Amino acid sequence: MSNKQYRAWTPEQTFLLPPSPTEWLPEGHLAYVVLEIVHELDLGAVEAALQAKDPRGERPYSPRMMVALLVYAYCVGVFSSRKVERATYEDVAFRVLAAGQHPHFTTVNNFRLRHREALAGLFVQVLRLCSRAGLRIVGHVSLDGTKVQANASKHKAMSYGRMKEEEKRLAAEIEALLFRADEADAAEDERYGQDRRGDELPEEFQRRESRQRRIREAKEALEKEAAEARAAHLRELAAEQRRTAETAATSKQRKRAATDARQSEAQADALAPRERDDDDDDDDDDDDDDAPSTDLPSHRVPTTTEGKPTDKAQRNFTDPDSRIMLQNGGFAQAYNAQAAVSEDHVIVAHAVSNQAPDAEHLVPMLERMRENCGASPEIFTADAGYWSETNSAWCTRHGIDAYIAVGRTTDDAKLGRLPMTDAQDARWQMHQKVTSPEGKRIYARRKAIPEPVFGLIKRAMGFRRFSLRGLAKVRAEWAFVCACFNLRRLFARQRVALQA
């Protein structure tokens, strides 16, 4: 009986003709889809920045190749620039995208940093491609948020109270070390003579002095933020007092409110003066003062009435913009990442802030969705974290059929009984709407729309921690992550179409 023959295997054999990279991966691979989409994207902003540089010197890599590498890397959970470079040698898909080139990891990282705004702008382009492919981007849209860890440790954060204690303790230790150094100088002068050096300070002193300097800088920055936060609060109070001065029933009340407004404004200017335009006036009668802000919320340092930080106010030494937030039952140094998601699991709007509560994100997110999609959602759902009377009223004014949970409290049984305040009535009306048979059917879809998206981003794509630091950079990175997620949705849609 003859021996079984094996297929030929000669790894050292050179190819007679060079193989085509398009044969290295199976048909319909994600890398090929990335190549097709990148060729359709408008990279004018990236190319304009590159063309603005001096044409002399080494030629840069193709911006489309660099974008394709980063898009595919984020799609498959490779966020380290060093790992991207290594993948161009070891991973077939990366080799296909790079066409045999191997950009250094510093080149990859610098490209991501310098063109982060342009990369963030790709979100809208990918969203339009999703719409053209038949994915629904309006209709039923649900909003949710998730805490994403910052590129910093919570152990590098320190409260204002501890800063004051540490500053005093380190000052005392440094003084003691200086005294010991003086004693050592005197002893060495007596032992070695005046011409011999013995005045070097111990290394321990250098470490303590450096730490004291960092704590002092963080303390001063926190005090400045607290003064600005207190000034902003006083200016909001002054605006309310000016409205009272115009609408109060008696002249005495109007006069008192006007005086209070001037005092509040003066206190705010004393804490954090602001520049005023020549044509700036204090009349805001034409503005809707009861409407929620369309700007993204920002964390305000808790302050005393004097504009000083409270002892519990914290600041992180590594990423000062990040905050300690509750995440999965524990505390983490994180940001609040928001996403508005359509029923086809397409992200239609995104945002990042350093404020943990969600309610103030609702209006800015719906405004961003209308800007991105050209229309507001027909049906909108959100959990109890987004409930507020002003949010509900804003949705009603803009013709949005909103279903926002109001939460469970011991007062639920009492609601619906007269008399009620305006806030209680709005809450009761929304409670009745969400708990109606139709409302239950619609609201039940909320869990199946945004939550799987966050699960896929954190699990399938592996994005659980920001690679960049600072609120501006983090927002750009989250926009790029959302664009890559939508690209994966587009890829999944194409695979379904091919199988059909």
Side-chain angles (χ1 to χ4, degrees):
M1 183 175 180
S2 61
N3 294 331
K4 195 170 187 69
Q5 299 297 312
Y6 300 109
R7 297 185 185 185
W9 179 63
T10 55
E12 298 84 5
Q13 177 67 48
T14 58
F15 290 98
L16 180 62
L17 295 174
S20 171
T22 58
E23 300 174 357
W24 293 354
L25 295 170
E27 185 179 355
H29 193 275
L30 176 60
Y32 295 144
V33 176
V34 169
L35 277 177
E36 293 173 3
I37 292 177
V38 166
H39 280 301
E40 291 190 33
L41 296 177
D42 179 11
L43 301 183
V46 178
E47 292 182 353
L50 292 173
Q51 293 297 330
K53 294 183 177 181
D54 192 327
R56 296 171 295 182
E58 187 177 3
R59 289 188 297 174
Y61 289 103
S62 167
R64 293 194 183 275
M65 184 270 282
M66 297 297 293
V67 170
L69 276 180
L70 284 173
V71 167
Y72 184 78
Y74 271 75
C75 283
V76 299
V78 180
F79 310 110
S80 166
S81 56
R82 287 177 171 83
K83 290 183 179 179
V84 171
E85 181 195 359
R86 186 162 63 247
T88 61
Y89 290 96
E90 301 174 355
D91 190 291
V92 175
F94 280 91
R95 289 181 66 89
V96 170
L97 291 169
Q101 301 180 74
H102 310 285
H104 196 263
F105 74 87
T106 56
T107 303
V108 175
N109 192 46
N110 289 336
F111 186 90
R112 176 171 54 181
L113 285 175
R114 291 174 181 172
H115 305 290
R116 61 180 181 274
E117 294 300 329
L119 293 174
L122 298 180
F123 172 81
V124 176
Q125 295 189 49
V126 176
L127 180 61
R128 290 171 182 166
L129 291 176
C130 290
S131 179
R132 283 163 48 188
L135 290 166
R136 288 174 291 180
I137 61 174
V138 291
H140 186 170
V141 172
S142 188
L143 175 62
D144 205 354
T146 185
K147 306 301 187 296
V148 179
Q149 289 188 11
N151 192 357
S153 169
K154 65 180 180 181
H155 302 294
K156 292 296 183 179
M158 185 178 289
S159 67
Y160 185 70
R162 189 181 168 197
M163 285 181 190
K164 293 188 292 185
E165 295 175 359
E166 283 290 298
E167 189 177 20
K168 292 178 181 178
R169 183 183 67 81
L170 290 172
E173 290 186 0
I174 290 172
E175 185 176 356
L177 286 170
L178 287 172
F179 178 75
R180 284 166 50 192
D182 290 340
E183 286 186 332
D185 284 347
E188 289 176 355
D189 285 346
E190 183 177 351
R191 179 180 302 176
Y192 302 113
Q194 295 290 337
D195 58 337
R196 299 293 300 276
R197 289 194 60 185
D199 59 347
E200 292 81 6
L201 295 178
E203 182 181 354
E204 189 178 16
F205 169 78
Q206 299 289 347
R207 292 198 303 269
R208 282 176 169 79
E209 187 181 49
S210 174
R211 181 171 175 79
Q212 185 191 39
R213 183 175 61 255
R214 292 185 63 196
I215 290 175
R216 186 180 294 115
E217 291 172 354
K219 181 168 169 281
E220 291 173 354
L222 195 58
E223 289 171 348
K224 182 180 178 182
E225 287 184 15
E228 292 173 350
R230 178 60 179 168
H233 175 73
L234 287 170
R235 291 189 177 102
E236 292 171 359
L237 180 61
E240 295 178 3
Q241 291 166 340
R242 282 194 294 271
R243 288 195 295 271
T244 303
E246 296 172 358
T247 60
T250 65
S251 60
K252 183 178 181 180
Q253 291 174 332
R254 291 194 294 270
K255 184 177 180 181
R256 179 61 184 172
T259 302
D260 291 342
R262 287 193 296 272
Q263 291 177 350
S264 297
E265 196 69 43
Q267 292 176 16
D269 290 338
L271 287 171
R274 62 178 180 182
E275 296 181 0
R276 295 178 180 272
D277 297 330
D278 294 337
D279 57 347
D280 186 22
D281 55 38
D282 292 331
D283 285 338
D284 297 327
D285 296 339
D286 296 334
D287 296 337
D288 187 0
D289 295 314
D290 294 329
S293 173
T294 57
D295 295 330
L296 284 174
S298 181
H299 175 81
R300 283 188 180 180
V301 176
T303 68
T304 63
T305 55
E306 294 81 16
K308 296 290 184 182
T310 63
D311 286 344
K312 292 186 178 180
Q314 293 189 343
R315 186 176 180 84
N316 190 279
F317 293 100
T318 306
D319 186 356
D321 287 344
S322 62
R323 295 292 181 269
I324 291 181
M325 300 181 183
L326 188 63
Q327 183 186 40
N328 299 327
F331 291 96
Q333 198 74 31
Y335 286 96
N336 188 352
Q338 298 280 315
V341 184
S342 73
E343 200 164 7
D344 278 349
H345 297 119
V346 177
I347 299 175
V348 296
H350 58 82
V352 176
S353 79
N354 56 4
Q355 178 170 296
D358 290 326
E360 292 181 46
H361 296 84
L362 186 144
V363 173
M365 288 296 293
L366 288 177
E367 288 284 5
R368 290 186 173 204
M369 178 197 166
R370 184 162 57 181
E371 181 180 350
N372 295 338
C373 304
S376 297
E378 299 170 8
I379 298 175
F380 173 74
T381 54
D383 62 27
Y386 293 92
W387 166 254
S388 75
E389 179 190 358
T390 53
N391 284 345
S392 177
W394 189 91
C395 291
T396 301
R397 285 198 305 272
H398 290 80
I400 299 174
D401 188 13
Y403 294 81
I404 309 173
V406 298
R408 297 179 180 178
T409 68
T410 55
D411 295 332
D412 276 344
K414 299 178 182 178
L415 288 176
R417 302 177 184 176
L418 298 177
M420 291 190 296
T421 64
D422 292 341
Q424 287 176 326
D425 181 65
R427 183 173 180 274
W428 172 248
Q429 295 296 332
M430 183 58 72
H431 174 74
Q432 290 290 91
K433 183 178 180 180
V434 173
T435 56
S436 66
E438 179 68 8
K440 287 182 178 179
R441 183 188 67 80
I442 292 174
Y443 189 78
R445 289 288 302 151
R446 188 200 66 81
K447 289 185 179 180
I449 296 177
E451 294 185 10
V453 170
F454 291 133
L456 289 169
I457 288 176
K458 291 186 175 183
R459 297 289 182 180
M461 295 174 61
F463 187 81
R464 303 181 185 88
R465 183 187 183 97
F466 286 107
S467 303
L468 308 179
R469 296 171 182 169
L471 192 54
K473 295 179 181 178
V474 161
R475 285 174 174 169
E477 186 174 19
W478 179 244
F480 190 64
V481 169
C482 292
C484 292
F485 175 84
N486 284 347
L487 191 146
R488 286 175 61 102
R489 292 294 302 143
L490 193 60
F491 170 65
R493 179 62 175 242
Q494 291 184 358
R495 290 185 65 181
V496 171
L498 288 173
Q499 292 174 358

